[in-house]
Amino acid sequence: TPELTKWGQKGLWFTDMYATGTRSVRGIEAIVTGFPPSASQSVVKLSKSQTGFYSIARTLKNLGYATEFIYGGEGHFDNMRGFFLGNGFDTVIDQNDYTDPIFLATWGVSDEDLFQKAHTRFMEKSDKPFFALVFTSSFHSPFEYPEGRIQPVGDTPHTAENAVLYADYALGKFLSQ
């Protein structure tokens, strides 16, 4: 991750981070609600957590922040749209909100499209406080990304390692903006 490493030298850098579960939705619930993964379904999907469930977005919204979830896939997946809108997020951006993406993969638009959308949204909000969760899904099999962005490692371009290189590339472009 050359871009992340470069940017890590300019800010706070955590060296010992651990996954909160085996699926992305488990990471989402941990980051947004502080709820650790349990043996049951994710709280994002549970019926009694669809409204009135604690989230950092609700806390920040009550302090005057605009709150949004920016995603390149389909918002109904794992019930993300419903959960976020019911628990403090003002807006959910999903695959339907992208015009002419540069690349559309199995899981949604490319990280470049996602981060460009985030950049545009952030610039629109530059005069007031905002909280946004930007969720990339490029690190999901079949590890698709647009050609010509990275120099793939190995003989097979669509690997987890190359997906990380692509995500790093796209994140680096975003941070440079």
Side-chain angles (χ1 to χ4, degrees):
T1 56
E3 291 295 321
L4 191 55
T5 300
K6 176 180 84 178
W7 283 94
Q9 303 302 314
K10 298 179 182 198
L12 191 59
W13 186 255
F14 295 99
T15 58
D16 294 312
M17 299 292 289
Y18 300 93
T20 57
T22 58
R23 297 196 56 237
S24 298
V25 72
R26 297 305 192 149
I28 286 172
E29 75 186 11
I31 289 169
V32 173
T33 70
F35 195 84
S38 65
S40 70
Q41 271 193 328
S42 167
V43 296
V44 175
K45 295 180 176 183
L46 295 175
S47 61
K48 291 185 179 177
S49 65
Q50 297 310 297
T51 58
F53 200 79
Y54 172 79
S55 76
I56 191 169
R58 181 180 312 283
T59 298
L60 293 172
K61 182 177 180 171
N62 289 340
L63 294 172
Y65 283 66
T67 57
E68 63 185 15
F69 174 64
I70 305 173
Y71 180 42
E74 298 173 357
H76 64 83
F77 185 75
D78 275 344
N79 194 45
M80 291 186 284
R81 174 183 295 284
F83 178 82
F84 289 134
L85 291 176
N87 290 298
F89 284 81
D90 299 316
T91 308
V92 171
I93 303 293
D94 74 1
Q95 185 174 326
N96 295 324
D97 297 303
Y98 293 81
T99 306
D100 299 321
I102 60 168
F103 185 77
L104 185 60
T106 301
W107 288 97
V109 301
S110 73
D111 285 358
E112 288 170 89
D113 293 304
L114 172 75
F115 288 132
Q116 185 56 49
K117 175 68 79 176
H119 174 71
T120 300
R121 302 285 299 181
F122 293 176
M123 291 301 100
E124 292 169 358
K125 296 176 182 345
S126 63
D127 63 333
K128 60 184 171 185
F130 68 92
F131 167 77
L133 173 62
V134 181
F135 179 57
T136 170
S137 56
S138 62
F139 191 67
H140 285 74
S141 179
F143 308 116
E144 300 166 299
Y145 54 87
E147 290 184 22
R149 302 312 199 262
I150 62 163
Q151 180 62 46
V153 175
D155 296 333
T156 307
H158 300 288
T159 64
E161 183 176 10
N162 287 325
V164 169
L165 284 173
Y166 171 68
D168 179 68
Y169 163 82
L171 181 62
K173 281 181 59 175
F174 169 71
L175 292 173
S176 292
Q177 286 183 301

